[in-house]
Amino acid sequence: MKLYLDPGHGGSDPGAQGNGLREKDLTLDIALKLRTILENNYENIDVRMSRTSDVTKSLDQRTNEANTWGADFYLSIHINSFNGSASGYEDYIYSGLSDNSATARYRDIIHTEVMKLNQLNNRGKKKADFHVLRESTMDAMLSENGFIDNAQDAALMKQESWRLNVAQGHANGIAKAFNLAAKNTPTGGESSDRGALFKVIAGSFKQRANAEERVADLDSKGFESFIAASEISGETWYRVQAGAFSDRKNAEARLREIESKGIDAFISTD
């Protein structure tokens, strides 16, 4: 499967800006993480990126490159902006396509998987006459991963763990949509963790204030983390997530780092 991965904007075009962030930086970081996840975890996936650094590239250059290469799918990563009040995730396919098209089916799968991990409001599945959707000859989708001018969304964007989760959500969706085979699949009677996301949880609290204290403690020790509310046995718990990994060994390494600082943690795959 040939994926053309397009981090929006770049170079002289910063894209949307707000809260000390630039769209071009965020889209590139998410796309690079996404490429790494796909190449490290799945067979028969060939990823080509429109840019791998902060360079200027026109929309025509991007779609022409994807078309000439013969990509199977075009995925454009973006960050939204409006007036500071809008927030959440949405994605787009070309306005001329039906809801029953192959492109729409792929997008439906990816949308579902991204929403599982991105902690954003669901703004829905939409259509538009964007250049990269109209001029690409293969199935194409554009995702808008939060609003950079919204304080709450931007606070998430500043966390590397969130950007990794967004990349993981896209990867999970692509793997499901295109039936990608996982690397190093166990054989015989072994159990498989294929497709699992290993989350490092550094504390679970009934009081949000206690979770916020743990986040601050982790930050002072050099670990990025965020609070994720979970319903457990009918009660709301505030879990502090300090990393999410597709490879359990990487999660275990992070777990050991955190525990070496005197903080109890565990790995969750729920």
Side-chain angles (χ1 to χ4, degrees):
M1 184 260 183
K2 297 167 72 172
L3 171 68
Y4 190 83
L5 182 54
D6 176 28
H9 308 280
S12 61
D13 175 14
Q17 300 178 72
N19 291 292
L21 299 168
R22 298 183 300 186
E23 181 179 5
K24 68 174 183 176
D25 302 324
L26 297 168
T27 59
L28 180 59
D29 186 58
I30 291 169
L32 288 169
K33 285 176 166 57
L34 173 54
R35 181 182 68 175
T36 297
I37 293 169
L38 290 172
E39 292 181 342
N40 287 351
N41 293 282
Y42 296 98
E43 303 282 0
N44 302 317
I45 175 76
D46 189 1
V47 182
R48 181 173 293 188
M49 294 179 61
S50 61
R51 63 185 183 94
T52 57
S53 60
D54 186 21
V55 297
T56 304
K57 199 162 190 177
S58 71
L59 295 177
D60 280 330
Q61 285 177 307
R62 298 173 198 235
T63 51
N64 288 344
E65 187 172 85
N67 294 341
T68 300
W69 183 44
D72 297 305
F73 193 67
Y74 190 113
L75 176 61
S76 192
I77 305 292
H78 284 259
I79 304 291
N80 228 329
S81 68
F82 184 55
N83 62 3
S85 62
S87 65
Y89 171 85
E90 61 193 27
D91 44 39
Y92 292 84
I93 60 174
Y94 177 53
S95 55
L97 295 172
S98 78
D99 292 335
N100 297 318
S101 64
T103 303
R105 291 195 298 271
Y106 292 144
R107 188 270 299 275
D108 290 347
I109 295 170
I110 296 169
H111 181 100
T112 297
E113 294 302 315
V114 172
M115 285 306 307
K116 289 179 181 178
L117 298 177
N118 67 6
Q119 301 175 263
L120 295 172
N121 299 326
N122 188 350
R123 293 174 57 85
K125 296 173 283 188
K126 303 182 178 182
K127 298 179 182 180
D129 187 28
F130 297 145
H131 174 97
V132 296
L133 303 179
R134 182 183 66 249
E135 300 301 325
S136 50
T137 57
M138 69 294 303
D139 298 305
M141 169 186 149
L142 182 148
S143 65
E144 292 277 8
N145 298 276
F147 284 73
I148 203 168
D149 55 352
N150 177 277
Q152 184 175 0
D153 284 8
L156 291 173
M157 294 173 191
K158 292 177 181 179
Q159 301 174 14
E160 183 177 7
S161 56
W162 179 85
R163 300 193 299 273
L164 180 61
N165 276 346
V166 169
Q168 185 69 58
H170 282 79
N172 292 348
I174 291 167
K176 285 190 176 184
F178 292 93
N179 297 311
L180 299 181
K183 290 184 177 179
N184 303 318
T185 304
T187 57
E190 299 178 27
S191 63
S192 172
D193 284 322
R194 179 173 59 182
L197 183 66
F198 301 98
K199 302 176 183 178
V200 179
I201 307 300
S204 186
F205 306 89
K206 284 189 175 182
Q207 300 297 322
R208 186 179 182 92
N210 294 335
E212 291 171 348
E213 288 181 9
R214 178 58 53 84
V215 168
D217 188 22
L218 286 164
D219 183 64
S220 71
K221 293 177 169 62
F223 299 103
E224 290 189 355
S225 63
F226 64 87
I227 298 171
S230 300
E231 286 290 328
I232 302 175
S233 300
E235 291 185 303
T236 299
W237 288 79
Y238 298 97
R239 302 173 108 187
V240 177
Q241 183 173 318
F245 306 87
S246 56
D247 187 328
R248 188 181 184 92
K249 291 181 179 179
N250 293 335
E252 290 172 347
R254 175 61 58 81
L255 179 69
R256 290 191 296 271
E257 290 175 0
I258 291 173
E259 290 182 333
S260 72
K261 302 296 185 181
I263 299 175
D264 290 332
F266 63 91
I267 295 173
S268 171
T269 58
D270 63 341

